[in-house]
């Protein structure tokens, strides 16, 4: 009897392990001996008569229990987790926006608004407002950076700040690219057109909502400002030239005006150093409640401390006294206040919320400029009302100016670009009627050299932000 139980246990183990190819049958003879006989069967269960029903039932129960454990295994593994944790596991990871992680191409082609889709554009250099020189009792030196009222005012102008920062970043990336390829032998008109094409892409030009604020100035040597080539100008940049690159961008009329000087001959380095140092000194002096005359005095003092040796002769670097920085308003590059670069100017004060272009010009000549050469820059008079026009071409041109430029500055090349032809008589008529103002090139004496550096600063309620500041200058 014990032998039969052992044989039954072996049979049970073989069935559980899946060994169904061989089935062992036990036969008990008459004389009490037991014979084991192997019999091959393919995937057939042993007959019920040969295997006791107790064993078969036990095997079936084991198989059912095993299948249930396998089916319930994932649930058991997560049994201790909260329903919220299960939901989190089931959620698919969110896809990142296509614009996230974009990097600028070379040459630049991705607009700034697409590089920063969240509109968190780079912030300019932040400085505290200085204490005005004439503040004897600290009444004008309020600690604005910690003042809660000033912080609240700052937050209220967030959208305005974003427009300016977007325009400033477009300027930075454009000028960085221009510096990488500008070289002697290039035509000035090609330099300007390539720069403007890149700037339009960076700002994502859109009518009067976003675009270029004024034509690209590329004044050479004794010419200090307001020169850009007209169509047909074949002027070529040379190794010994001193070139002032001055261009602007805007978003919703909020203008960034910024300029720098390009030279290839190292003998002009002192001239650039003097003007750059004077500009930075003027920026440092500027602030809420500061008198404009104090800025001019500071700029002159710094610039006149430099000298330059050119071809064996020493020249004192002079500030150009009739060129100034200026306040900026929406769609208005010169908004009424002038920032002098020499002492003796008026004592008007800077005010909270104002936007300024702080620019200085240095010269090895007389330090005074006059109108010279062919005019290329024009701008509609901001305050002009309705003026009746008789000339049909003047009327047509004025409509074009209103549509494409508004009260922003423009040049002849830009009029050509929008499809106008044979417009010079109409343009002259608009100038004669006082509707459009011409801005001819401004030059010192021939044979001298001039340099320029410029930044746009914002007098925020809490601090002073140098919007156009970059790694270059």
């Amino acid at each position: 009897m014990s032998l039969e139980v052992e044989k039954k246990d072996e049979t049970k183990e073989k069935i559980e392990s899946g060994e169904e190819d061989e089935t062992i049958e036990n036969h008990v003879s008459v004389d009490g001996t037991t014979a084991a006989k192997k019999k091959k069967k393919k995937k057939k269960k042993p007959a019920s008569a040969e295997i006791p029903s107790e064993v078969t039932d036990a095997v079936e129960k084991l198989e059912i229990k095993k299948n249930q454990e396998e089916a319930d295994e994932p649930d058991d593994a997560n049994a201790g987790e909260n329903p919220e944790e299960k939901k989190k596991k089931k959620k698919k990871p969110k896809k990142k926006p296509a614009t996230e992680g974009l990097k600028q191409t070379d040459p630049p082609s991705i607009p700034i608004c697409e590089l920063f889709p969240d509109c968190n554009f780079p912030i300019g250099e932040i400085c505290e407002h200085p204490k005005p020189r004439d503040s004897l009792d600290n009444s004008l030196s309020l600690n604005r950076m910690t003042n809660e009222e000033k912080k609240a005012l700052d937050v209220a102008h967030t959208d305005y700040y974003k427009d300016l920062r977007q325009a400033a970043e477009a300027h930075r990336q454009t000028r960085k690219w221009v510096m990488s390829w500008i070289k002697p032998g290039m035509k000035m008109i090609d330099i300007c057109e390539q720069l403007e094409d890149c700037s339009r892409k960076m700002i994502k030009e859109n009518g009067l909502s976003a675009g270029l604020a004024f034509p690209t100035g590329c004044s050479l040597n004794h010419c200090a400002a307001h020169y850009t080539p007209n169509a047909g100008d074949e002027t070529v940049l040379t190794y010994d030239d001193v070139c002032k690159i001055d261009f602007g961008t805007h978003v919703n009329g909020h203008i960034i005006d910024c300029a720098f000087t390009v030279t290839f001959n190292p003998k002009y380095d002192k001239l650039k150093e003097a003007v750059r140092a004077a500009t930075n000194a003027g920026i440092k002096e500027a602030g809420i409640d500061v008198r404009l005359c104090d800025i001019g005095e500071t700029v002159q003092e710094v610039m006149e401390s430099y000298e330059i040796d050119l071809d064996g002769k020493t020249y004192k670097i002079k500030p150009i006294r009739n060129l100034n920085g200026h306040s900026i308003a929406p769609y208005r590059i010169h908004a009424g206040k002038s920032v002098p670069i020499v002492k003796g100017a008026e004592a008007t004060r800077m005010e909270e919320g104002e936007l300024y272009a702080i620019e200085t010009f240095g010269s090895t000549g007389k330090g005074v400029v006059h109108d010279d050469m062919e005019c290329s820059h024009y701008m509609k008079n901001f305050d002009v009302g309705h003026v009746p026009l008789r000339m049909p071409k003047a009327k047509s041109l004025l409509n074009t100016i209103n549509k494409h430029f508004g009260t922003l500055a423009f040049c002849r090349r830009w009029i050509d670009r929008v499809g106008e032809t044979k417009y010079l008589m109409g343009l002259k008529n608009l100038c004669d009627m006082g509707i459009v103002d011409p801005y001819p090139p401004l030059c010192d004496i021939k044979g001298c050299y001039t340099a320029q550096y410029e930044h746009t600063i914002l007098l925020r309620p809490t601090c002073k932000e140098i919007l156009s500041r970059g790694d270059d200058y």
Side-chain angles (χ1 to χ4, degrees):
M1 194 65 189
S2 62
L3 183 60
E4 287 183 3
V5 171
E6 287 176 4
K7 291 296 182 182
K8 287 177 183 178
D9 291 340
E10 287 178 8
T11 303
K12 177 180 175 182
E13 289 174 3
K14 285 179 178 288
I15 291 171
E16 286 181 34
S17 61
E19 295 179 8
E20 295 179 355
D21 289 343
E22 290 186 359
T23 305
I24 301 174
E25 293 183 355
N26 299 315
H27 299 279
V28 182
S29 60
V30 178
D31 57 359
T33 61
T34 304
K37 183 179 180 181
K38 287 185 181 180
K39 186 177 181 181
K40 284 188 178 182
K41 289 184 182 180
K42 289 186 179 180
K43 296 182 181 180
K44 286 186 179 181
K45 292 182 180 179
S48 59
E50 296 173 346
I51 300 176
S53 59
E54 297 87 358
V55 176
T56 305
D57 294 339
V59 170
E60 287 177 357
K61 287 179 181 179
L62 284 170
E63 287 180 351
I64 291 168
K65 186 177 181 181
K66 186 178 180 181
N67 291 337
Q68 287 178 346
E69 287 176 356
E70 289 176 357
D72 295 337
E73 191 171 356
D75 294 332
D76 293 337
N78 298 331
E81 294 181 358
N82 296 328
E84 292 181 1
E85 291 178 355
K86 288 183 181 180
K87 286 181 182 178
K88 286 181 182 179
K89 284 189 175 182
K90 289 179 182 178
K91 285 183 180 178
K92 293 182 179 179
K94 293 182 180 179
K95 292 184 178 180
K96 293 182 179 180
T99 53
E100 190 172 331
L102 275 180
K103 289 186 178 180
Q104 189 56 272
T105 58
D106 187 18
S109 61
I110 304 173
I112 301 303
C113 59
E114 293 180 13
L115 282 177
F116 300 91
D118 56 359
C119 294
N120 289 325
F121 305 105
I123 298 174
E125 182 183 346
I126 301 297
C127 308
E128 283 193 66
H129 288 293
K131 176 184 175 182
R133 292 186 185 183
D134 62 330
S135 177
L136 302 176
D137 58 354
N138 290 332
S139 61
L140 299 178
S141 58
L142 174 71
N143 189 352
R144 293 173 170 271
M145 296 190 88
T146 58
N147 185 282
E148 293 300 325
E149 181 184 351
K150 300 302 178 184
K151 285 181 181 180
L153 285 171
D154 230 8
V155 172
H157 296 94
T158 301
D159 291 340
Y160 171 50
Y161 298 163
K162 286 181 178 179
D163 286 349
L164 287 167
R165 289 167 185 162
Q166 181 182 349
E169 182 63 17
H171 196 288
R172 271 190 293 271
Q173 295 202 15
T174 300
R175 75 188 188 225
K176 180 181 178 182
W177 177 68
V178 170
M179 288 179 184
S180 70
W181 53 258
I182 189 170
K183 61 184 179 180
M186 297 184 71
K187 289 183 179 181
M188 301 309 299
I189 193 167
D190 293 337
I191 293 171
C192 290
E193 287 180 347
Q194 289 184 51
L195 183 154
E196 289 166 0
D197 286 345
C198 177
S199 190
R200 287 187 177 101
K201 290 177 185 175
M202 293 300 95
I203 205 66
K204 200 172 185 179
E205 189 177 37
N206 179 25
L208 292 175
S209 298
L212 307 186
F214 52 85
T216 302
C218 55
S219 307
L220 297 173
N221 303 326
H222 72 287
C223 181
H226 295 174
Y227 165 75
T228 196
N230 290 321
D233 190 330
E234 297 293 322
T235 305
V236 175
L237 183 65
T238 68
Y239 177 75
D240 284 320
D241 282 336
V242 179
C243 178
K244 282 73 66 182
I245 301 293
D246 187 356
F247 70 101
T249 54
H250 82 92
V251 176
N252 295 320
H254 304 310
I255 299 169
I256 293 295
D257 185 1
C258 188
F260 59 98
T261 298
V262 175
T263 59
F264 307 100
N265 193 329
K267 70 180 183 179
Y268 303 116
D269 287 351
K270 272 293 178 183
L271 175 61
K272 292 200 301 180
E273 183 184 339
V275 179
R276 185 171 175 174
T279 300
N280 287 331
I283 291 170
K284 186 177 180 180
E285 184 75 21
I288 295 173
D289 293 324
V290 170
R291 298 182 303 180
L292 296 173
C293 58
D294 293 336
I295 298 174
E297 186 177 346
T298 299
V299 169
Q300 183 176 8
E301 183 180 346
V302 171
M303 194 176 298
E304 290 183 347
S305 67
Y306 284 82
E307 293 180 341
I308 184 172
D309 292 324
L310 295 175
D311 303 323
K313 190 175 180 180
T314 302
Y315 296 88
K316 189 174 182 179
I317 299 174
K318 303 173 185 176
I320 300 178
R321 61 180 60 252
N322 57 338
L323 287 179
N324 306 301
H326 48 90
S327 57
I328 303 173
Y331 294 102
R332 193 175 188 182
I333 187 65
H334 292 176
K337 289 186 178 180
S338 294
V339 184
I341 59 175
V342 291
K343 62 184 178 181
E346 58 186 17
T348 306
R349 295 187 187 276
M350 291 180 154
E351 297 177 35
E352 182 181 297
E354 289 182 327
L355 186 68
Y356 282 93
I358 304 296
E359 60 182 324
T360 68
F361 296 83
S363 173
T364 61
K366 288 185 175 181
V368 179
V369 293
H370 58 276
D371 296 349
D372 195 7
M373 304 193 300
E374 183 181 41
C375 186
S376 55
H377 284 55
Y378 300 86
M379 185 166 63
K380 185 182 174 186
N381 190 317
F382 191 86
D383 299 316
V384 73
H386 174 70
V387 178
L389 294 171
R390 293 183 179 180
M391 185 182 292
K393 197 63 183 176
K395 291 180 182 179
S396 172
L397 182 59
L398 182 57
N399 290 334
T400 299
I401 291 170
N402 288 332
K403 178 181 177 182
H404 295 282
F405 314 123
T407 54
L408 296 171
F410 58 93
C411 63
R412 291 190 196 176
R413 285 187 294 107
W414 291 7
I415 300 175
D416 297 333
R417 185 174 178 269
V418 297
E420 285 289 330
T421 58
K422 299 179 181 179
Y423 55 80
L424 289 179
M425 286 300 294
L427 182 59
K428 184 179 183 303
N429 183 245
L430 292 175
C431 292
D432 292 342
M433 299 296 289
I435 299 171
V436 171
D437 295 322
Y439 292 87
L442 300 171
C443 303
D444 203 335
I445 57 172
K446 287 186 178 180
C448 75
Y449 297 94
T450 60
Q452 174 194 16
Y453 276 94
E454 178 180 22
H455 276 299
T456 299
I457 67 169
L458 176 63
L459 305 184
R460 290 167 49 184
T462 55
C463 62
K464 172 175 58 183
E465 183 173 349
I466 310 170
L467 293 158
S468 53
R469 180 75 83 192
D471 296 333
D472 45 4
Y473 65 94

